[in-house]
Amino acid sequence: MADPKIINGVNVDELFNTINAVKKSPLIATFKFRATNKWIKGGHNRTSIRNFYGVQKDHPHKMRFELDADEPQVLLGDDKAPNPVEYALAALAACVTSSIVYHAAAKGIKLNSVESRLEGDIDLQGFLGLSKEVPRGYKEIRMYFKIDADAPKEKLDEIVQLGPTYSPVFDTFTRAVPVKVKLET
Amino acid sequence: MADPKIINGVNVDELFNTINAVKKSPLIATFKFRATNKWIKGGHNRTSIRNFYGVQKDHPHKMRFELDADEPQVLLGDDKAPNPVEYALAALAACVTSSIVYHAAAKGIKLNSVESRLEGDIDLQGFLGLSKEVPRGYKEIRMYFKIDADAPKEKLDEIVQLGPTYSPVFDTFTRAVPVKVKLET
């Protein structure tokens, strides 16, 4: 057998195998991602990520991932870890980046480097309950990419736009997703 | 001076000082959160969080926080770290939890424990570009809370609902937030 075709660290043969398998049996594309969280003290809490469902079965991760969140001192925490809205930026940055990388690989475009910086605006009057007009979350988020690729300069903007076009977290932020919050007794 | 009033690990005197300061000068409530990201290989990339803006100045965090993301093997990664949509769940879990904790403290409700589990549905036909009707991100997210508090049982659901009422990340997911993605040259 020939060596697998690897572009940007993505096994493109496997990627097209996956695409073809999903075309035949769309049910294998149904994924359920999971997390548990335990409050520690004040703004400090810990999320654990252990397994997910996909391709019609449960998959354990190689290890249990633990993600601590805290608030900085100006927001009355101890600054032990990023805060939740910073985790939201990390999720967005990682997802838009991976979407660029995977979709560029599928198009045969070799990337040399991808870097980004993000900034998002929050007016705490929302969280503090001081105004009904001020949103509690991000009013706007801006992402700026620097990309070096084996592609002409005029192609780079097209490559960057693969991110927002396909990224699940970009879609989660920019579309109104139903989130149900329930008390379990 | 009297000892500060601490409930749930939150300095409630400081919290009300902050609320009063924001009422007088709403501009101090304007925050800008920031992150940078660097692609490593395939689905593996790293977000760094160093500083933010608020109360009319820049604040460095106590340390630089680094958050690696990767994809599990079934999604063609090495499973070195949580994936971006799992980071999104962590952001949501942490934020709804802290919103419950802070707003319960403001109301004088002592919490003994707060635990939650989350599950979100994604159909990868969206990410793979196989269907325009299937959303690329979460179709729905469910959060289940277990709370032990110094409050009557019938109050617990009200306490849980402080989370979705005030959480910035809950709002970011459930409202359509503008996210601008640009190439920087």
Side-chain angles (χ1 to χ4, degrees), chain A residues 8 14-15 19 22-23 26 29-39 42-43 45 47 49 52 55 61-62 65 67 69 71-76 78-91 93-95 97-99 101-103 111 114-125 127 129-130 135-146 156-157 160-161 164-166 168-184, chain B residues 8 14-15 19 22-23 26 29-39 42-43 45 47 49 52 55 61-62 65 67 69 71-72 74-76 78-91 93-95 97-99 101-103 111 114-125 127 129-130 135-146 156-157 160-161 164-166 168-184:
Chain A
N8 305 332
E14 277 292 324
L15 181 56
I19 289 170
V22 169
K23 278 183 187 165
T30 300
F31 277 66
K32 289 178 194 292
F33 294 99
R34 295 168 183 148
T36 58
N37 182 282
K38 204 170 159 46
W39 172 52
N45 61 64
T47 298
I49 293 163
F52 62 93
V55 200
H61 279 293
K62 273 190 191 169
F65 301 122
L67 301 169
E71 292 293 344
Q73 283 170 332
V74 69
L75 298 173
L76 314 182
D78 291 326
D79 207 19
K80 287 185 207 292
N83 82 357
V85 294
E86 290 171 328
Y87 268 108
L89 293 185
C95 197
T97 298
S98 289
S99 299
V101 168
Y102 276 55
H103 279 274
L111 303 173
V114 181
E115 286 182 34
S116 58
R117 58 186 182 88
L118 294 83
E119 188 172 71
D121 308 322
I122 294 186
D123 184 334
L124 281 188
Q125 290 182 91
F127 172 75
L130 295 178
R136 293 147 296 165
Y138 279 112
K139 287 206 280 191
E140 182 184 277
I141 299 171
R142 298 168 293 281
M143 305 186 72
Y144 302 97
F145 275 91
K146 282 194 179 177
L156 291 182
D157 196 53
V160 166
Q161 294 309 321
T165 303
Y166 293 108
V169 176
F170 179 91
D171 180 62
T172 297
F173 282 31
T174 56
R175 182 175 47 91
V177 172
V179 180
K180 294 180 180 164
V181 182
K182 281 185 187 165
L183 180 69
E184 205 166 47
Chain B
N8 305 332
E14 277 293 325
L15 181 55
I19 290 171
V22 169
K23 278 184 189 165
T30 300
F31 277 66
K32 289 177 193 293
F33 294 98
R34 297 169 182 148
T36 58
N37 182 282
K38 204 170 158 49
W39 172 52
N45 60 64
T47 298
I49 292 163
F52 62 92
V55 200
H61 278 294
K62 272 189 192 171
F65 301 122
L67 301 170
E71 292 292 344
V74 69
L75 298 174
L76 313 182
D78 292 325
D79 208 18
K80 287 183 207 290
N83 81 358
V85 295
E86 290 172 328
Y87 268 107
L89 293 184
C95 196
T97 299
S98 289
S99 300
V101 169
Y102 275 55
H103 279 273
L111 304 173
V114 181
E115 285 183 35
S116 58
R117 59 185 182 88
L118 294 83
E119 190 171 69
D121 308 321
I122 293 186
D123 185 334
L124 281 188
Q125 290 182 92
F127 172 74
L130 295 177
R136 294 147 294 165
Y138 279 112
K139 288 205 279 192
E140 182 185 277
I141 300 172
R142 299 168 292 282
M143 304 187 71
Y144 303 98
F145 275 91
K146 284 196 177 175
L156 291 182
D157 196 53
V160 166
Q161 294 309 322
T165 303
Y166 294 108
V169 176
F170 179 91
D171 179 62
T172 298
F173 282 31
T174 56
R175 181 174 49 91
V177 172
V179 179
K180 294 181 181 164
V181 181
K182 283 186 186 163
L183 180 68
E184 205 167 47

Side-chain angles (χ1 to χ4, degrees), chain A residues 5-12 15-16 99-111 162:
Chain A
K5 191 175 167 191
I6 311 279
I7 303 177
N8 305 332
V10 177
N11 186 325
V12 177
L15 181 56
F16 282 105
S99 299
I100 291 171
V101 168
Y102 276 55
H103 279 274
K107 289 179 185 295
I109 301 163
K110 192 175 167 288
L111 303 173
L162 292 169

